[in-house]
Amino acid sequence: MTEQNQTQLPQDKPLEIAGRVYQSGLLVGTGKYRDLAETAEAIEASGAEIVTVAVRRTNIGQNTDEPNLLDVISPDRYTILPNTAGCMNAKDAVRTCKLARELLDGHDLVKLEILGEDKTLYPNMPETLVAAEELVKDGFQVMVYCSDDPLLARRLEEIGCIAIMPLGAPIGSGLGIQNRYSIRQIIENANVPVLVDAGVGTASDATIAMELGCDGVLMNTAIAQARDPIRMARAMKLAIEAGRHAHLAGRMPRRAYASASSPIDGTFF
Amino acid sequence: MNVLLNGEPHTLSGSRTLQALIDELGLAGKRLAVEVNEDIVPRSQHHDYRLQDGDRIEIVHAIGGG
């Protein structure tokens, strides 16, 4: 299926994060894939330019010849976005970010994610605010996973976070965008990019997020755990584009009742 | 000399630099980051950094995550 698109549309404002311009509003994670080959292929198919990774202990004394994720997902080609996944407090998250910066030769873009509990993986906002403040002071460019509270989102922007990333539903739940009203409020208030991070289950969910006016969507499980991750990655790429176009186009008003598409004038019966 | 390496007790025969430990573990040239006692030791200092008895060393790398 190749797109034969002859129609020229006005240029869209591209997504800009930390001074870099991106063509795709799709950001993808690298967890839960079968192997590194599948990871690489899915990310290629997704067209994503920003890719999240986790920071963990090196396995000591095991298979030191094993290929490294960053050999497959090269920092020369992709913007690597290290996350603080698994951290439950500000101290661990700040430590993780510092290790990530060292790991990536001074690259200071991070995804701050501090979780509050295992069941919902909801963000721990008090700790997130503390960590955000400390990281911004230390020169990090912080993209922040957060709750969908519009006032907290505004606070994170005031602290200096460069992207606000509320959840649409719990991480890995695939429930879709459960909080359209709150996401809309966050977008209306924000002067930095807003991305839905977590909750997307299938392509239409990503489209809904973009139709709401999000600048992008970050996802992992929806692609990695699809029956065919490569094809789902492509579906997500198109879904993000479709949602963006629909947002720019402006949807028709909703009506309670029908409105005929064919005119009544000229009927011969 | 005993250190804690990635949370596990690890014995080093005699004094070591951080780089010597990294070489010994077969991790030379890998993309990794090192913390000793919760402070980052930048790559440029690995060769000169002398480990002490009781040091808590963390060696991390990037893996798949969302």
Side-chain angles (χ1 to χ4, degrees), chain A residues 114-195:
Chain A
I114 304 181
L115 305 175
E117 60 163 15
D118 290 336
K119 187 177 171 186
T120 59
L121 298 180
Y122 248 66
N124 178 333
M125 290 310 294
E127 290 292 309
T128 299
L129 291 164
V130 172
E133 203 129 8
E134 200 170 324
L135 289 169
V136 168
K137 248 181 232 154
D138 198 1
F140 283 97
Q141 315 245 33
V142 181
M143 301 178 72
V144 59
Y145 168 66
C146 56
S147 66
D148 61 10
D149 182 324
L151 301 184
L152 286 177
R154 196 147 60 183
R155 179 77 200 115
L156 287 165
E157 186 179 332
E158 284 163 8
I159 286 172
C161 293
I162 60 149
I164 307 298
M165 305 203 293
L167 77 170
I171 295 171
S173 70
L175 289 172
I177 314 302
Q178 296 294 315
N179 47 1
R180 299 182 198 190
Y181 176 79
S182 314
I183 299 281
R184 245 333 292 163
Q185 295 302 308
I186 291 173
I187 293 167
E188 269 179 34
N189 291 337
N191 299 302
V192 295
V194 175
L195 297 90

Side-chain angles (χ1 to χ4, degrees), chain A residues 28-32 52-61 64-66 68-70 75-76 83 85 91 95-96 98-100 102-105 111 113 197 218-220, chain B residues 4-8 10 21 24-46 56-66:
Chain A
V28 295
T30 50
K32 299 183 179 172
T52 63
V53 304
V55 179
R56 292 290 181 270
R57 282 174 169 161
T58 306
N59 291 325
I60 301 295
T64 47
D65 294 335
E66 232 174 57
N68 186 283
L69 176 66
L70 295 180
D76 298 330
N83 69 25
K91 179 174 175 273
R95 230 179 122 189
T96 303
K98 287 180 177 172
L99 279 164
E102 165 67 13
L103 186 65
L104 294 166
D105 307 315
K111 171 182 156 181
E113 166 182 343
D197 179 4
L218 200 167
M219 65 179 78
N220 189 157
Chain B
L4 209 57
L5 175 60
N6 283 3
E8 303 286 337
H10 190 89
L21 173 64
E24 201 173 293
L25 296 169
L27 296 173
K30 301 271 177 198
R31 195 183 267 278
L32 41 81
V34 184
E35 227 186 22
V36 178
N37 303 326
E38 299 195 13
D39 283 321
I40 302 282
V41 182
R43 203 162 301 153
S44 59
Q45 295 172 21
H46 289 183
R56 286 168 293 121
I57 305 158
E58 294 287 350
I59 305 180
V60 304
H61 65 161
I63 64 154

Side-chain angles (χ1 to χ4, degrees), chain A:
Chain A
M1 194 169 54
T2 45
E3 259 181 294
Q4 295 287 323
N5 192 347
Q6 311 296 340
T7 315
Q8 286 301 310
L9 296 169
Q11 198 70 39
D12 186 11
K13 179 174 69 73
L15 174 63
E16 191 178 328
I17 289 175
R20 265 184 79 171
V21 165
Y22 298 94
Q23 299 310 315
S24 177
L26 178 58
L27 286 70
V28 295
T30 50
K32 299 183 179 172
Y33 285 98
R34 207 172 47 218
D35 50 36
L36 285 179
E38 189 184 67
T39 312
E41 206 183 336
I43 289 167
E44 171 89 49
S46 78
E49 298 156 279
I50 303 177
V51 177
T52 63
V53 304
V55 179
R56 292 290 181 270
R57 282 174 169 161
T58 306
N59 291 325
I60 301 295
Q62 302 172 15
N63 265 348
T64 47
D65 294 335
E66 232 174 57
N68 186 283
L69 176 66
L70 295 180
D71 298 335
V72 178
I73 308 298
S74 164
D76 298 330
R77 174 162 178 206
Y78 296 100
T79 294
I80 304 297
L81 179 61
N83 69 25
T84 64
C87 292
M88 309 291 266
N89 59 60
K91 179 174 175 273
D92 291 347
V94 170
R95 230 179 122 189
T96 303
C97 289
K98 287 180 177 172
L99 279 164
R101 183 164 61 182
E102 165 67 13
L103 186 65
L104 294 166
D105 307 315
H107 170 79
D108 54 16
L109 184 70
V110 291
K111 171 182 156 181
L112 174 61
E113 166 182 343
I114 304 181
L115 305 175
E117 60 163 15
D118 290 336
K119 187 177 171 186
T120 59
L121 298 180
Y122 248 66
N124 178 333
M125 290 310 294
E127 290 292 309
T128 299
L129 291 164
V130 172
E133 203 129 8
E134 200 170 324
L135 289 169
V136 168
K137 248 181 232 154
D138 198 1
F140 283 97
Q141 315 245 33
V142 181
M143 301 178 72
V144 59
Y145 168 66
C146 56
S147 66
D148 61 10
D149 182 324
L151 301 184
L152 286 177
R154 196 147 60 183
R155 179 77 200 115
L156 287 165
E157 186 179 332
E158 284 163 8
I159 286 172
C161 293
I162 60 149
I164 307 298
M165 305 203 293
L167 77 170
I171 295 171
S173 70
L175 289 172
I177 314 302
Q178 296 294 315
N179 47 1
R180 299 182 198 190
Y181 176 79
S182 314
I183 299 281
R184 245 333 292 163
Q185 295 302 308
I186 291 173
I187 293 167
E188 269 179 34
N189 291 337
N191 299 302
V192 295
V194 175
L195 297 90
V196 160
D197 179 4
V200 164
T202 188
S204 52
D205 298 332
T207 302
I208 287 168
M210 295 304 287
E211 284 174 351
L212 288 171
C214 285
D215 297 281
V217 178
L218 200 167
M219 65 179 78
N220 189 157
T221 314
I223 296 176
Q225 303 280 281
R227 196 176 57 234
D228 179 348
I230 314 302
R231 189 171 284 274
M232 187 58 90
R234 178 54 53 84
M236 291 301 183
K237 172 184 162 59
L238 298 172
I240 295 282
E241 288 172 15
R244 180 65 187 169
H245 281 302
H247 173 70
L248 293 172
R251 58 153 299 142
M252 61 162 280
R254 287 183 173 81
R255 294 193 182 91
Y257 297 103
S259 164
S261 299
S262 308
I264 299 299
D265 284 355
T267 45
F268 50 88
F269 39 78

